[in-house]
Amino acid sequence: MPRPLKNPFMPEKIPYARPFIGKEEEEGVLRVLRSGWLTTGPETLAFEEEFAAFLQKNNQKNASPLYCMAVNSATSGLHLALEACGIKAGDLVLVPTMTFTATAEVVRYLGAEAVFVDSLPGGFNMDPQALERTLEELEKESPGKAQAVMPVHYGGLPCDMEAINGIAQRFKIQVIEDAAHSFPSFLPSDKGAPGSSGLFAGDMSKLGVFSFYATKTITTGEGGMVVTRDKEMAERIRIMRSHGIDRSVFHRYTDTRASWFYQVVEPGFKYNIPDLLSALGRAQLNRAWDLLSAREDLVRRYDEAFSEGPFILPPTGPGDARHLYPLRFKTEELKADRALLAQEIQEEGVGISVHFIPLHTMPYYKTRYSLNDHDFPHALDSFNRAISLPLWPGMTVSQIERVITVVKETASRYTS
Ligand SMILES: *Cc1c(COP(=O)(O)O)cnc(C)c1O
C-alpha cells in the first residue's frame, strides 16, 4: 500500500474552491478502471457527443453540426485552436490583459506575439472600444500582422460578442473564445448576440475552448474541450491533438483491418484526454445546470450582504455562468489596500484568490513588449480592488455566512 497522504483539504478552513464530486463521478472512474481501456476511447467519444448535444439543445439559431474535441487542458485546446487558424511566427494575436497567462502563452508557443487589450471601464471583460483602438494602431504600425483575437468571458459573463465579432470582421481577423470560465453561459434566444452563430459562450465565433481544471465550473481534474462548426478546423484539431496522426489510437486498436497502420502528416502534439477523466466529465456535464443554480444561490447571498458598505458588486448580465465572485473594495473609502485586506481575510481561515494579476504587469510580457500601466487603467483598477470569494456548490449556509462576516468585519476595521 502506498503511504497515506495528509488530506490537503483542511476542514477547519473554508477553501477557495472545492470540486463537487458525487457517486456518479466515482462510478464513472471505476467503470473505466475495470474496462481495461484507460486512455482516450469510448468514454471520450461519448463525452464529446454529449457535450455537443448539450450545446445544441435549445439552440434553434444554429442547427449546423457542432464539433467537440476533448483535450487534456484548455491551454492545449487554445494552442490547437490557434494552430488550426494558421497562426504563425510574427503574427499578432490580441488578448485581454485581464486573464490567466494560458491565454497569452499559447500565442508564444507558435512564435506569434501577444498584444494586450484593456478591460471595460468598471468591468473585467475585454473592452471592444479598446480592441478597436488597438487594431487601428496596429494597422498603421504593422499592417496585416494582426491575425486573431481571443476574448475571455471573465467569470462566465459573456463578452459583447456582437461588437467583438463585428470589429474582427472589419479587420479580417479570426475570433477564438477563451471560454475557460463559461460552461454553461447560455443567452436565451431573445438576448443572444446577433451576428454570433450560437447561444452559448464558446459557440459565438469560429472556435471556443472550455476548461475542466479542478477549480472550474465542471471538472475532470485537468481537461478541456475545443468546439467549432468548421469541419476542416475540427479535422485539423483532431489530428494535431494526437501526434499529427491521421487515425485515432482507439480506432487503430479496435478496427480489425490493418490495425498497425497509421500515417504521420504533421509533427503534432500529445494533447488527448484519458477515458478516466472523460468519465468524470460525463458525470459533471449531467450536473452542469444544477451546479450553476447552486452558484446562483450563493451569489444572491453575497450580493445581498455586500450591496451596502465599501464594496462594488461583480458586474453581471444575461448568461452569466457565475464561475467567480470578484468582490471589489472601494479602497478610496478604506485605510487599507487590497493586499492587506486579502491577507487578513485569509488569516481568518477564508480561502480567497485574485483573478487576475494583469498580464501586462508580468515580468515576461512587461519586458518583452515594454508595457506600461497607464495603457491599461481599467484592468489595473479592477485588479487593485478585487478578491475572489469562495463560490462552490456544496458550501454550507454557515460557511457562506462565515465568509460574509469575515469580509465585512475586515473592511469595517479600516473604515474611516
Ligand atoms: C483556467 C484558465 C485557462 C487554462 O485552463 P487549463 O484547463 O488549466 O489549461 C485558460 N484561460 C483562462 C481564462 C483560465 O481561467
Side-chain angles (χ1 to χ4, degrees), residues 69 76 78 80 82 84 128 132 213 226 229 307 310 322 324 377 390:
M69 282 76 62
S76 309
L78 290 167
L80 292 171
L82 281 179
E132 193 166 30
Y213 179 68
V226 188
R229 291 178 190 272
S307 60
R322 296 299 195 178
L324 302 175

Side-chain angles (χ1 to χ4, degrees), residues 73-75 78 99-100 102-103 152 178 180-181 211 213 216 222-223 356:
S73 74
T75 307
L78 290 167
T99 186
F100 183 57
T103 321
V152 174
D178 180 337
H181 296 182
S211 173
Y213 179 68
K216 301 283 157 76
E222 299 280 358
F356 293 94

